[in-house]
């Protein structure tokens, strides 16, 4: 509930997030000439819902941050289209899909984006802090609280290779204490920094209110089956990743839902099949091709789009920046992983 300072959290939202969801980071559909392909954009949202995703994240890195630039003017249309499609699909199926909007920029911009998202029916904002590379923890928390007045927050630890910054455990402890924080996406691609966030949530006493979601596309399966034991002044606290909010899950999404279900069973039983560890490493290798790790992630968005193009879900792999494209050799790697790892990529 709201205390008058923070936007109210829908009563069902925390429960739904703690169930553990597949939340794809929604790409942007463009024609080969770079113009917006609304029909494919709507179709892609329907694909994620039909594949069993429990949420979608829109206007995030995978959607391309430049949708906000005046020459494109796509932020509102892209957010609105996804919300419209999900509302119709949820009504038809009796489901309740979590809508998360990416929010970026300095405080004035972020507040405006949060207000827009809330007006369109989004339930939380995935809040990027990349616009504050040198800000102190206190400055960052003040910014977060301003945005939290408009919409519940989903924290975002973005890896530095694609524009993120180092965020301290103390920052995450203060962030987790904001009353309407509902989740944190940990995408640091770094085990030490991942543990910082887990420990911060436990030390803040918010392990029952703040759902942890892996965004570590290089470590998905192991993140999902790991239970952390954190010693606090209340005694040991046990917590782990409820689900994932991932660019990787923008492709082969039906298979992602199946993999998450297996990981949930492992968490219930404590029995880890050896083949699941193997599958996790195969998924990491497949992700290396999709995200263009060999070229420091230069082709990561084009790689996601190319997989979807090959499946007939997008007309092209085009990005808004025409210079952002597949790297040399990436097409061949994508073909190779599809052939080598059917357990990851088939039935998608």
């Amino acid at each position: 509930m709201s205390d008058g300072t923070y936007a109210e959290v829908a009563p069902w939202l925390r429960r739904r997030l703690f169930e553990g969801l597949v939340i794809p980071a929604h790409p942007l559909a463009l024609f080969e000439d770079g113009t917006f392909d609304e029909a494919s954009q709507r179709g892609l949202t329907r694909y994620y819902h039909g594949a069993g995703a429990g949420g979608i994240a829109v206007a995030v890195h995978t959607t391309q941050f430049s949708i906000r630039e005046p020459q494109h003017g796509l932020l509102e249309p892209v957010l609105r289209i996804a919300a419209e499609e999900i509302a119709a699909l949820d009504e038809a199926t009796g489901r309740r899909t979590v809508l998360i909007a990416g929010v970026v920029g300095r405080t004035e911009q972020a507040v405006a984006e949060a207000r827009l998202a809330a007006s369109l029916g989004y339930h939380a904002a995935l809040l990027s802090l990349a616009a504050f590379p040198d800000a102190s923890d206190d400055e960052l928390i003040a910014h977060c609280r301003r945005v939290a007045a408009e919409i519940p927050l989903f924290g975002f630890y973005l890896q530095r290779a694609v524009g993120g910054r180092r965020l301290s455990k103390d920052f995450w402890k203060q962030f987790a204490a904001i009353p309407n924080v509902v989740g944190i996406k940990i995408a640091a691609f770094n085990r030490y920094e991942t543990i910082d966030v887990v420990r911060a949530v436990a030390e803040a006493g918010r392990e029952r209110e703040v759902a942890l979601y892996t965004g570590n596309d290089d470590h998905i399966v192991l993140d999902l089956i790991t239970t952390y034991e954190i010693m606090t002044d209340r005694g040991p606290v046990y917590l782990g990743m409820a689900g994932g909010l991932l660019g990787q899950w923008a492709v082969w999404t039906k298979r992602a839902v199946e993999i998450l279900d297996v990981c949930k069973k492992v968490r219930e039983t404590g029995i880890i099949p050896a083949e699941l560890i193997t599958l996790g490493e195969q998924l990491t290798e497949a992700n290396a091709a999709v995200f263009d790790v060999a070229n420091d992630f230069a082709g990561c968005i084009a790689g996601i789009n190319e997989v979807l193009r090959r499946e007939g879900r997008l007309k092209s792999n085009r990005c808004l920046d025409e210079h952002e494209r597949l790297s040399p050799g990436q097409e061949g790697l994508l073909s190779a992983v599809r052939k080598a790892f059917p357990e990851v990529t088939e039935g998608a």
Side-chain angles (χ1 to χ4, degrees):
M1 301 294 290
S2 171
D3 67 355
T5 303
Y6 302 103
E8 186 173 353
V9 177
W12 59 271
L13 182 57
R14 293 191 199 276
R15 181 181 69 253
R16 190 85 173 95
L17 288 170
F18 272 98
E19 288 173 7
L21 307 176
V22 166
I23 304 179
H26 203 307
L28 179 70
L30 299 175
F31 291 109
E32 191 59 50
D33 65 0
T35 57
F36 181 49
D37 179 358
E38 181 175 335
S40 294
Q41 190 75 19
R42 291 182 180 276
L44 199 52
T45 304
R46 292 194 294 271
Y47 160 63
Y48 294 134
H49 194 277
I56 56 168
V58 187
V60 295
H61 175 251
T62 303
T63 323
Q64 302 176 52
F65 290 136
S66 51
I67 59 172
R68 295 162 172 82
E69 294 175 1
Q71 67 267 33
H72 302 306
L74 286 172
L75 177 61
E76 189 278 341
V78 166
L79 286 170
R80 175 177 45 78
I81 285 167
E84 289 173 352
E85 291 295 329
I86 291 297
L89 291 163
D90 278 358
E91 183 176 3
T93 60
R95 287 165 54 183
R96 184 168 260 173
T97 302
V98 175
L99 288 171
I100 298 175
V103 166
V104 306
R106 305 288 290 190
T107 302
E108 183 178 351
Q109 176 183 345
V111 166
E113 290 190 8
R115 193 171 293 151
L116 170 65
S119 74
L120 293 170
Y122 281 77
H123 305 118
L126 184 68
L127 184 59
S128 170
L129 299 174
F132 296 88
D134 302 311
S136 67
D137 287 354
D138 287 346
E139 290 168 329
L140 292 175
I141 291 298
H143 169 76
C144 295
R145 287 175 175 154
R146 285 281 306 281
V147 179
E150 306 295 333
I151 193 170
L153 298 185
F154 211 104
F156 187 15
Y157 204 160
L158 176 64
Q159 63 158 320
R160 289 189 282 281
V162 291
R165 56 159 286 175
R166 177 79 171 88
L167 295 164
S168 71
K169 180 170 74 72
D170 287 343
F171 163 78
W172 286 114
K173 189 172 178 178
Q174 292 182 69
F175 179 84
I178 295 173
N180 66 346
V181 168
V182 295
I184 298 173
K185 169 179 172 166
I186 307 173
F189 282 49
N190 180 296
R191 306 272 55 78
Y192 302 107
E193 293 169 1
T194 295
I195 293 170
D196 278 348
V197 181
V198 176
R199 179 171 293 281
V201 171
E203 290 180 358
R206 296 278 287 168
E207 66 275 3
R208 295 182 183 274
E209 289 78 34
V210 178
L212 298 176
Y213 270 64
T214 182
N216 292 319
D217 303 80
D218 64 340
H219 203 255
I220 296 170
V221 168
L222 286 173
D223 269 0
L224 290 171
I225 63 174
T226 298
T227 298
Y228 295 85
E229 180 183 63
I230 306 296
M231 296 304 300
T232 72
D233 56 10
R234 297 173 288 128
V237 172
Y238 299 90
L239 67 172
M241 309 289 181
L245 197 170
L246 296 152
Q248 175 61 47
W249 281 356
V251 301
W252 311 319
T253 309
K254 183 173 181 291
R255 190 70 183 103
V257 171
E258 295 167 351
I259 290 170
L260 178 57
D261 285 344
V262 172
C263 291
K264 288 180 180 180
K265 289 184 175 66
V266 167
R267 295 200 301 250
E268 291 171 3
T269 65
I271 300 170
I272 305 174
E275 57 268 26
L276 182 61
I277 304 301
T278 300
L279 178 68
E281 295 311 305
Q282 291 173 343
L283 181 55
T284 297
E285 190 169 350
N287 176 258
V290 176
F291 275 28
D292 193 26
V293 172
N295 295 286
D296 296 325
F297 305 94
C300 64
I301 295 174
I304 291 169
N305 291 352
E306 174 63 13
V307 173
L308 294 168
R309 186 198 67 79
R310 293 182 185 192
E311 294 175 347
R313 307 188 198 285
L314 293 182
K315 298 291 194 304
S316 77
N317 64 29
R318 174 68 191 262
C319 298
L320 287 171
D321 180 350
E322 63 180 342
H323 301 294
E324 190 172 339
R325 55 185 65 204
L326 294 173
S327 293
Q330 193 177 359
E331 285 188 81
L333 285 174
L334 290 171
S335 298
V337 299
R338 186 65 188 255
K339 182 178 180 180
F341 304 134
E343 288 299 314
V344 169
T345 63
E346 289 190 356

